[in-house]
């Protein structure tokens, strides 16, 4: 009988002979018998991981502990970039459906929809990942290990990254995160669809400017009651594969090197068995003299972090701190066996993603690229946007009827930045409020005017400089349209350009490279020619991934230009793989605006010609976000110094109010704004939390009553910050709805409806598992609508201080017009416990106050909530 040797066995024999049984000039290889056992899909996963790691040299192991892990060809290990983003859609990897920002997803209070959103995002991620692999593109942001969701508690409205979170409540955060993670990671028994990462562990919510050096003190009670439960409970109820540790110190130790947080809590009490990645640069902060500086050398920092349990180092401008692990081994700061533990965790995740198996065996590998931005996903993001919008005030001005003439005013009325927030992809079909209202009413019924800056000299109505402003001299000495463009196949100009052409202007968003059509677009570009304005003015320029000089002057501030005067023009752009750059679908744009235009006058003229004013204002992620250089009134390094609406907008709003026209104010922000004047003077107020690419459609449908608004606030809207604790004070005293004792503008959980809901009665009964609560919900209106029923408890007889009230359950229900339904909740015993001063949970005995209804029972009509008391 003929002997048949399988391809796997043949590879095993070949590698054993060629690499394991003879000397080699490559260091350490002579001691490794390479069998490629790890490529055998029939073996248990842990055996495959063990086989691979045991075949690796120490240098190879260390190389895999960096976010930019290189290939190991002899072991058939491909290069992999661990850094990928999917906060509210696949981010930084070209076009993808953009869902509402995370804080808006929390405002939905909808677990089923959150699962659908997570599933859609991972569908698109898988489709894009395999598309990139087919193009041999392994750049950053093409992978499947997503550094989302952010489940930090939004404890202070000044934090610019609060928009990335699910709000200020641990229970809402947990329920939202669980469904998002299940959607991201899938439900296949053999393969992970993608990896979700809980971040930032732990006690992390600003300030941005000092996060690399701050040491936050958190009591055992605050840790158990506020900062850790979302991590603990999400881990317990999902198979989340990854955790990101934070920059800051907690009670003296860097979060990425805290034995208490990582070994005792995360690995021990919480039973987390996945891998841990550092926030980017966090390990370098251990030794950086300007940061924590708790050790003196890179080797000490690397050894400390790995021994504590941080497996993967995301580096930044500091480079790869873990490259010093070999030195750490030589100095006996760490053993190779301890390094092995980390490397095995990392490869376990890669094996679970199917990266070492035939893609045909992986059901997720077959998703087509048409999944991205599909009609189904675009409809889903519009549904999410509708449910995320919160109606804060309405004197029956809304919904609008008929075909009114609308004065659409405000710096966010046609600002695509408010569709996306931060950590976002490129919208497939971005629809601003202006676009949607014009589509519905016709352009003749929508009179648009930006009205003011966003704040100070920060404007939003820049437009790409049109083609008719650019020219060049051709080979015959004739002045002809366009700019001479030279494209270089590298991120510098030290090579011969491979493409020269005429570009009509500078406004590009390439899906593939203009040089060779590849999806990996590292390149450099030069443009030269003449620039001729068509009207006099003082111009401001917005430069996206491009540097520009006009007559030798950099276009970085106001420049006075003359009509019909030809200026020498030069521009260049470099697209590269460096820190915070992106070679996937880069955008390059040269935009401007004429600062001499009287925005105020235009807005008032529009208002006088209209039936109703819709003002779309607020802020944007260009003002609030992650560690930004911006320092102006109200904003510092991504955070906010106060929460007032910018003066430029409020001044205009007061003038518009004086026209006597109905005023609908739409606020766009990722955080709370002190809308004190608007609350007293606007006829209606809508809050949008950067609602995604379908923002315009969702908002327009709300304004005209196509549906009843049902979003709820996931954060408290305060009247100001003067009575809040210091930003760096991490005590929960007088913070969030659970502990704040002052009067608020709009409470957590608040949101109005067009329908008329009434809660008629409530009953509560004890059982072996906790409590069963039942209430009757009546829709007394002629409009079918969704209602979010919320359950809060208070523990007045607890022997220690407990939250004023806390959310323990919620449910979204569709209630037909003039109909009544029963809403039932089962509250587990675990939620009927209090936290003592030592941070331990204790069973509660005594009176338990229950509030069930449309909110906390604050600032809502009496018929919209019911209270009862039960003895435990």
């Amino acid at each position: 009988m003929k002997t048949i040797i399988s391809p796997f066995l043949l590879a095993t024999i070949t590698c054993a002979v060629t690499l394991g049984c003879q000397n080699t000039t490559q260091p350490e290889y002579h001691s490794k018998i390479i069998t490629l056992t790890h490529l055998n899909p029939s073996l248990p996963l842990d055996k495959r991981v063990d086989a691979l790691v045991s075949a690796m040299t120490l240098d190879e192991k260390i190389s895999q502990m960096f976010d930019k892990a290189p290939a190991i060809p002899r072991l058939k290990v491909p290069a992999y970039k661990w850094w990928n983003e999917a906060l509210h859609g696949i981010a930084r990897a070209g076009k993808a459906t953009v869902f509402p920002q995370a804080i808006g997803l929390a405002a939905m209070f909808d677990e089923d929809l959150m699962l659908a959103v997570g599933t859609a995002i991972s569908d698109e991620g898988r489709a894009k990942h395999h598309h990139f692999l087919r193009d041999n593109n392994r750049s950053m942001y093409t992978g499947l290990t997503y550094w989302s969701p952010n489940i930090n508690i939004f404890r202070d409205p000044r934090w610019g990254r609060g928009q990335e979170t699910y709000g200020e409540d641990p229970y809402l955060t947990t329920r939202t995160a669980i469904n998002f993670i299940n959607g991201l990671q899938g439900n296949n028994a053999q393969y992970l669809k993608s990896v979700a990462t809980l971040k930032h562990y732990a006690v992390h919510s600003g300030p941005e400017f000092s996060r690399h050096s701050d040491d936050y003190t958190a009591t055992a009670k605050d840790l158990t009651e506020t900062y850790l439960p979302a991590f603990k409970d999400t881990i317990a109820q999902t198979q989340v594969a990854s955790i990101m540790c934070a920059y800051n110190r907690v009670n003296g130790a860097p979060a990425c090197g805290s034995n208490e947080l990582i070994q005792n809590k995360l690995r021990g009490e919480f039973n987390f068995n996945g891998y841990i990645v550092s926030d980017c640069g966090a390990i370098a902060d251990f030794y950086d003299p300007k940061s924590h500086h708790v050790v003196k050398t890179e080797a000490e920092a690397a050894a400390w972090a790995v021994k504590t349990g941080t497996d993967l180092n995301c580096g930044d401008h500091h480079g790869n701190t873990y490259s010093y692990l070999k030195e750490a081994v030589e100095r006996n700061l760490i053993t190779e066996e301890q390094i092995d533990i980390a490397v095995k965790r990392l490869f376990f995740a890669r094996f679970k993603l199917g990266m070492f198996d035939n893609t045909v065996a992986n059901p997720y590998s077959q998703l087509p690229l048409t999944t991205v931005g599909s009609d189904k996903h675009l409809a889903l993001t519009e549904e999410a946007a509708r449910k995320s919008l919160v109606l804060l005030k309405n004197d029956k001005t809304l919904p609008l009827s008929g075909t009114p003439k609308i004065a659409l005013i405000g710096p966010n009325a046609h600002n695509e930045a408010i569709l996306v927030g931060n950590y976002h992809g490129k919208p497939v079909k971005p629809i601003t409020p202006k676009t949607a209202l014009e589509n519905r009413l016709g352009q003749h019924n929508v009179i648009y005017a930006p009205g003011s800056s966003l704040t100070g000299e920060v404007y939003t109505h820049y437009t790409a400089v049109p083609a008719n402003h650019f020219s060049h001299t051709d080979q015959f000495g004739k002045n002809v349209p366009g700019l001479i463009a030279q494209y270089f196949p590298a991120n510098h100009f030290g090579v011969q350009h491979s493409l020269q052409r005429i570009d009509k202007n500078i406004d590009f968003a390439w899906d593939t490279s203009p040089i060779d059509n590849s999806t990996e677009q590292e390149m450099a570009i030069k443009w030269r020619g003449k620039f001729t304005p068509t009207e006099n003015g003082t111009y401001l320029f917005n430069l996206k991934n491009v540097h520009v000089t006009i007559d030798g002057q950099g276009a970085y501030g106001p420049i006075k230009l003359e009509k019909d005067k030809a200026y020498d023009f030069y521009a260049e752009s470099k697209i590269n793989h460096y820190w915070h750059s992106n070679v996937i679908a880069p955008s390059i744009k040269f935009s401007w605006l004429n600062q001499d235009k009287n925005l105020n006058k235009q807005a008032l003229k529009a208002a006088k010609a209209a039936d109703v004013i819709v003002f779309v204002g607020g802020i944007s992620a260009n003002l609030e976000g992650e560690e930004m250089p911006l320092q102006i009134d109200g904003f510092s390094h991504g955070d906010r110094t106060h929460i007032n609406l910018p003066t430029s907008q409020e001044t205009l709003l007061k003038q518009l109010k004086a026209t006597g026209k109905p005023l609908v104010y739409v606020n766009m922000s990722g955080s709370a704004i002190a809308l004190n004047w608007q609350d007293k003077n606007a006829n209606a107020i809508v809050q949008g939390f950067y609602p995604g690419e379908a923002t315009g459609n969702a908002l327009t449908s709300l304004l005209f009553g196509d549906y009843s608004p049902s979003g709820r606030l996931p954060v408290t809207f305060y009247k100001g910050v003067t009575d809040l604790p210091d930003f760096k004070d991490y005590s929960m005293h007088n913070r969030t709805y659970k502990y704040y004792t002052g009067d608020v503008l709009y409470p957590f959980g608040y949101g109005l409806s067009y329908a008329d809901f009434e809660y008629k009665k409530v009953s509560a009964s004890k059982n072996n598992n906790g409590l069963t609560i039942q209430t009757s919900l009546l829709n007394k209106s002629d409009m079918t609508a969704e209602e979010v029923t919320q359950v809060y408890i208070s523990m007045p007889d607890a022997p220690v201080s407990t939250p004023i009230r806390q959310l323990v359950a919620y449910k979204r229900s569709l209630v037909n017009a003039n109909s009544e339904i029963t809403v039932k909740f089962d509250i587990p015993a675990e939620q009927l416990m209090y936290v003592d001063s030592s941070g331990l949970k204790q069973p509660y005995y005594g009176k338990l106050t229950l509030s069930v209804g449309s909110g906390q029972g604050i600032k809502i009509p009496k018929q919209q909530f019911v209270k009862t008391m039960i003895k435990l």
Side-chain angles (χ1 to χ4, degrees), residues 213-474:
S213 57
D214 283 346
D215 181 8
Y216 300 132
T217 299
T219 66
K221 191 174 192 301
D222 282 342
L223 285 172
T224 303
E225 207 165 61
T226 298
Y227 293 116
L228 299 184
F231 288 95
K232 179 181 180 180
D233 295 343
T234 303
I235 290 167
Q237 297 177 65
T238 66
Q239 296 295 318
V240 65
S242 176
I243 303 285
M244 175 180 281
C245 51
Y247 286 116
N248 50 276
R249 279 175 285 163
V250 182
N251 296 333
C256 292
S258 170
N259 270 310
E260 175 59 24
L261 285 177
I262 293 177
Q263 291 297 335
N264 295 346
K265 294 289 187 183
L266 198 58
R267 298 287 187 197
E269 183 182 340
F270 302 171
N271 295 312
F272 175 69
N273 58 12
Y275 70 88
I276 299 175
V277 57
S278 75
D279 207 338
C280 300
I283 310 304
D285 288 343
F286 285 29
Y287 65 83
D288 188 334
K290 295 180 180 179
S291 301
H292 299 312
H293 199 208
V294 290
V295 294
K296 294 182 179 179
T297 68
E298 293 93 334
E300 291 173 281
W304 180 355
V306 174
K307 287 195 295 185
T308 304
T310 302
D311 308 301
L312 182 67
N313 174 39
C314 177
D316 56 4
H317 54 280
H318 295 284
N320 179 11
T321 302
Y322 277 9
S323 65
Y324 292 86
L325 280 171
K326 189 167 187 179
E327 176 187 333
V329 171
E330 293 167 351
R331 292 173 55 187
N332 295 318
L333 298 173
I334 193 172
T335 66
E336 185 169 356
E337 290 72 24
Q338 289 170 311
I339 289 173
D340 285 350
I341 294 171
V343 178
K344 287 179 180 180
R345 287 185 186 131
L346 297 175
F347 274 104
F348 184 86
R350 290 186 67 178
F351 274 97
K352 284 289 288 182
L353 288 165
M355 292 183 177
F356 296 92
D357 294 350
N358 190 319
T359 56
V360 175
N362 189 330
Y364 300 127
S365 67
Q366 308 307 313
L367 287 161
L369 193 60
T370 52
T371 302
V372 179
S374 65
D375 290 344
K376 178 182 176 181
H377 289 178
L378 293 177
L380 188 66
T381 193
E382 183 169 340
E383 180 185 359
R386 287 184 174 205
K387 292 184 177 181
S388 75
L389 296 174
V390 185
L391 183 61
L392 297 178
K393 180 184 178 182
N394 187 24
D395 65 359
K396 298 189 177 180
T397 295
L398 296 180
L400 303 174
S401 60
T403 310
K405 189 174 288 291
I406 290 179
L408 179 62
I409 298 170
N412 281 335
H414 195 46
N415 179 17
E416 284 197 12
I418 57 106
L419 310 186
V420 296
N422 68 356
Y423 281 90
H424 61 87
K426 290 188 175 181
V428 176
K429 191 176 180 181
I431 303 173
T432 66
K434 176 179 181 289
T435 301
L437 281 167
E438 288 179 346
N439 287 343
R440 182 171 188 128
L441 301 174
Q443 291 187 7
H444 60 286
N445 284 318
V446 180
I447 313 169
Y448 164 69
S452 72
S453 66
L454 201 58
T455 184
E457 297 300 308
V458 179
Y459 296 93
T460 63
H461 59 286
Y462 289 92
T463 57
V465 179
N468 65 331
H469 291 67
F470 296 107
S471 62
H472 69 280
T473 302
D474 68 9

Side-chain angles (χ1 to χ4, degrees), residues 102-180:
I103 192 72
L105 293 174
M108 300 187 311
F109 278 68
D110 191 326
E111 296 189 24
D112 292 340
L113 186 52
M114 196 67 194
L115 176 63
V117 168
T119 301
I121 291 171
S122 57
D123 281 351
E124 295 197 4
R126 270 289 178 175
K128 292 176 77 69
H129 171 71
H130 293 288
H131 171 70
F132 288 129
L133 287 184
R134 288 189 290 271
D135 198 39
N136 196 30
N137 184 352
R138 297 179 181 273
S139 305
M140 187 184 296
Y141 308 128
T142 65
L144 294 170
T145 46
Y146 297 121
W147 292 353
S148 308
N150 182 341
I151 63 168
N152 293 131
I153 298 303
F154 196 178
R155 67 185 177 92
D156 192 300
R158 288 166 284 199
W159 188 33
R161 293 189 75 182
Q163 62 178 287
E164 301 172 29
T165 74
Y166 298 138
E168 67 185 39
D169 180 72
Y171 178 75
L172 176 63
T173 295
T174 299
R175 296 308 312 166
T176 309
I178 286 170
N179 286 279
F180 184 73

Side-chain angles (χ1 to χ4, degrees), residues 526-574:
K526 289 181 178 179
W527 294 272
R528 56 188 172 85
K530 292 290 185 179
F531 173 52
T532 307
T534 57
E535 63 179 9
N536 296 326
T538 303
Y539 290 88
L540 292 176
F541 299 92
N542 188 30
L543 310 178
K544 186 173 184 180
N545 291 327
V546 65
H547 300 281
V548 171
T549 60
I550 300 171
D551 264 7
Q553 180 180 353
Y556 303 109
I559 300 178
K560 200 169 189 64
L561 299 175
E562 297 178 24
K563 177 182 178 180
D564 296 333
K565 180 177 179 179
Y567 298 86
D568 288 332
F569 182 88
Y570 175 80
E572 64 180 46
S573 179
K574 296 178 182 179

Side-chain angles (χ1 to χ4, degrees), residues 794-798 844-850 869-872:
S794 301
M795 300 178 176
D797 294 338
Y844 174 73
Y845 300 103
K847 297 176 183 177
L848 185 74
T849 302
L850 295 165
M869 186 270 290
I870 191 171
K871 184 84 170 180
L872 295 182

